[in-house]
Amino acid sequence: MAGQKTFYLETFGCQMNVHDSEKVIGTLEQQGYARVETEEAADLILYNTCSIRDKAEQKVFHRLNDYKALYKQGKRFGVLGCVAQQEGERIFERAPFVSLVSGSASYRRLPEMLVQIEQGATRVTGLDDRQTEETFETEFTARSNPHRGYITIIEGCDKFCAYCVVPYTRGKERSRRSESVLAEARRMAGAGYTEIQLLGQNVNSYRDPEGKHSFAELLAAVGEVPGIRRVRFTTSHPRDFTRDIVEAIDAVPTLCDHVHLPVQSGSSKVLRMMAREYTREQYLERIGWIKGAQRPISMTTDIIAGFPGETAEDFEETLGLLDEVQYDGVFAFKYSPRPNTPALSMADSIPDEEKSKRLQILLDRQREIQRANYEKHVGQVLEAMVEGVNAARGQVVGRTSQNKTLNFTTGQPIAPAPGVYVPVLVTKAFPNSLVGEAVQ
Ligand code: 5AD
Ligand code: SF4
């Protein structure tokens, strides 16, 4: 690799960031850079950052501090993603050895930004002011998994929930042409991919710029691409969750039986303060559609505990909602005040101790719900996509259509390869995973 430019890239945050990184890696490789596995071996060190909660953001600044010494060795640093967009040029003040600061809406300009850095520029920026209409499409995506891959169908966010940084970090909402999405899905199927995950901050707010397909129609069309066996989509916003999405899942067997529908709170009052644009009743109506589907559809959600003004009664309503919906998974977070957001100036903040208490109560309640839900699979035969092996346990690690982890044994000396689909009889259940035996 003598003489070749090298880069190291580390990703923090959500699936959107993971996939953005795949596109950034492909773009850098196209520019003649080779990816290396350690900061020490790299000329250019990039962090793709997350600012959804304060903790995620602090992690990035700690990391930058840890590696300050590497700057003296001539290495260059770049901060990409949500912290970059949020903090902008302030990053140069906090971490003067950083040369590049770019938010996700500017990645199309990465090749020219790289040239500027190579020419010695020390403060290169790609910062968007919610103007960008374009999406970041590239044929050079370096996907890390050869069987299962992401496709971004919509970028940015116009929802402005009171707690959330995303509208400020990922720019305005813009959808990709459905023809372009389908062409990528066909290319991936041709390359051997069998699972596609459609991505967007609000994936179901998708609006085809050419008006050819609704979100549900696009979902069905991706599911009908020859060779594709599983299609997932994340994250859905309840306000835009329409009945035809469930109808598409009913009609197209390749659409996975799982919907992630973040509720955030079970109290209509808190939902109104959060500017979520739906009530508890409207949310439950959508859950009713999902429960009415022809096959059982697994449901998961996100919840924020301790939003400003959340009373003990409001929190009780959230617990009641868990009982009512019976989710298969809940991602719960303590409310974290974020820069620029309307909630920052709201009164009635909840002490951290109380937030922690509520979070724990919620997780305990949910664990029992999941224990019972997962138990129901014992005795069923489910199809698992192989992800790898757990050598220590002598088990193959698989994933079901409902997105549950299913660890199994095969009775064979050689484990099935990653990407293979295996029918598995479920013999045991835990609150977060299933155990089984391959059906011969
Ligand atoms: N504090 C805590 N959790 C948050 N989320 C988004 N913003 C915040 C915040 N300020 C959570 C929401 C969202 C998930 C990705 O992160 O639940 O759905
Ligand atoms: Fe984090 Fe949100 Fe940015 Fe994803 S979009 S990296 S969750 S701040």
Side-chain angles (χ1 to χ4, degrees):
M1 236 175 333
Q4 183 162 26
K5 303 174 284 188
T6 56
F7 74 100
Y8 169 90
L9 175 99
E10 188 169 335
T11 307
F12 302 83
C14 64
Q15 289 156 311
M16 292 288 284
N17 262 17
V18 171
H19 184 45
D20 281 346
S21 284
E22 293 179 334
K23 294 196 253 187
V24 167
I25 291 167
T27 303
L28 264 86
E29 287 174 346
Q30 190 57 25
Q31 297 299 308
Y33 281 78
R35 187 179 184 201
V36 293
E37 294 302 319
T38 62
E39 278 111 327
E40 284 73 16
D43 303 319
L44 176 65
I45 295 165
L46 299 171
Y47 296 122
N48 190 3
T49 62
C50 174
S51 63
I52 195 87
R53 284 169 291 274
D54 189 52
K55 234 195 215 155
E57 182 178 337
Q58 293 318 320
K59 214 155 122 188
V60 173
F61 285 106
H62 282 141
R63 183 62 55 90
L64 280 170
N65 256 330
D66 287 351
Y67 288 101
K68 209 159 38 185
L70 293 175
Y71 180 73
K72 300 206 180 71
Q73 301 169 16
K75 299 183 190 300
R76 293 296 168 259
F77 286 82
V79 179
L80 308 179
C82 293
V83 176
Q85 181 64 43
Q86 177 188 296
E87 295 300 311
E89 304 202 356
R90 284 193 296 265
I91 292 181
F92 296 129
E93 313 303 325
R94 266 179 95 166
F97 50 92
V98 168
S99 312
L100 167 69
V101 171
S102 173
S104 62
S106 301
Y107 292 162
R108 275 167 292 103
R109 287 181 36 227
L110 267 178
E112 51 187 276
M113 293 192 277
L114 290 171
V115 170
Q116 290 176 329
I117 294 173
E118 286 164 21
Q119 289 170 346
T122 51
R123 290 189 166 199
V124 180
T125 55
L127 298 169
D128 166 63
D129 42 9
R130 282 188 59 83
Q131 295 304 315
T132 305
E133 295 278 2
E134 287 175 68
T135 51
F136 179 37
E137 297 177 34
T138 167
E139 56 188 299
F140 302 119
T141 306
R143 289 195 168 82
S144 58
N145 181 312
H147 313 290
R148 186 179 60 207
Y150 297 122
I151 301 182
T152 309
I153 67 166
I154 175 168
E155 294 179 24
C157 180
D158 287 347
K159 294 282 193 292
F160 291 95
C161 299
Y163 50 80
C164 189
V165 287
V166 173
Y168 313 94
T169 62
R170 285 192 165 272
K172 82 169 169 207
E173 193 169 277
R174 54 217 188 267
S175 295
R176 182 171 163 186
R177 290 180 308 112
S178 61
E179 283 307 322
S180 160
V181 172
L182 285 167
E184 185 162 9
R186 288 187 208 105
R187 265 202 312 277
M188 287 171 68
Y193 285 85
T194 60
E195 180 175 319
I196 286 178
Q197 187 158 352
L198 301 180
L199 283 185
Q201 225 64 50
N202 295 299
V203 73
N204 60 327
S205 307
Y206 178 81
R207 286 189 70 151
D208 186 353
E210 293 175 341
K212 288 189 181 158
H213 290 294
S214 68
F215 172 66
E217 287 165 355
L218 178 61
L219 205 54
V222 173
E224 280 161 357
V225 168
I228 296 304
R229 293 182 61 160
R230 284 184 175 179
V231 180
R232 304 184 186 282
F233 55 100
T234 197
T235 288
S236 295
H237 190 290
R239 197 201 68 183
D240 296 335
F241 195 90
T242 46
R243 207 169 190 156
D244 58 356
I245 299 173
V246 179
E247 287 161 4
I249 297 176
D250 274 341
V252 183
T254 51
L255 303 187
C256 285
D257 24 25
H258 171 221
V259 173
H260 182 64
L261 200 61
V263 67
Q264 313 300 359
S265 167
S267 149
S268 290
K269 183 198 93 191
V270 174
L271 289 171
R272 196 171 56 245
M273 294 189 307
M274 288 176 164
R276 287 291 286 175
E277 299 184 40
Y278 56 85
T279 60
R280 175 192 175 97
E281 289 67 34
Q282 285 166 330
Y283 181 86
L284 285 172
E285 182 186 25
R286 281 139 182 82
I287 293 293
W289 299 339
I290 298 170
K291 286 186 173 171
Q294 285 160 21
R295 43 187 163 131
I297 297 179
S298 174
M299 292 166 292
T300 53
T301 201
D302 294 346
I303 288 174
I304 297 176
F307 186 77
E310 182 190 74
T311 61
E313 291 74 38
D314 293 321
F315 179 64
E316 271 305 317
E317 288 200 59
T318 300
L319 294 178
L321 186 95
L322 295 188
D323 293 338
E324 192 159 344
V325 177
Q326 298 278 309
Y327 294 107
D328 277 335
V330 170
F331 300 90
F333 315 96
K334 286 195 276 184
Y335 167 68
S336 167
R338 305 309 295 134
N340 307 319
T341 61
L344 200 57
S345 53
M346 285 184 186
D348 295 331
S349 71
I350 315 271
D352 190 62
E353 233 170 273
E354 179 62 23
K355 286 187 208 167
S356 300
K357 205 174 105 194
R358 290 182 190 178
L359 183 68
Q360 197 52 49
I361 292 172
L362 202 137
L363 293 173
D364 289 345
R365 176 86 68 110
Q366 177 57 24
R367 195 175 166 81
E368 291 317 308
I369 293 170
Q370 264 169 249
R371 190 186 301 283
N373 283 359
Y374 273 60
E375 196 63 46
K376 291 186 189 133
H377 290 297
V378 174
Q380 295 177 347
V381 173
L382 301 177
E383 186 181 60
M385 187 209 215
V386 175
E387 294 190 335
V389 289
N390 182 333
R393 291 224 198 112
Q395 284 174 328
V396 179
V397 180
R399 188 162 294 276
T400 69
S401 170
Q402 287 198 341
N403 207 31
K404 291 172 179 156
T405 299
L406 173 48
N407 299 311
F408 62 97
T409 49
T410 61
Q412 304 291 322
I414 297 172
V420 168
Y421 292 82
V422 181
V424 178
L425 172 69
V426 179
T427 54
K428 197 171 163 40
F430 297 103
N432 279 302
S433 67
L434 302 168
V435 178
E437 292 158 10
V439 177
Q440 301 306 327

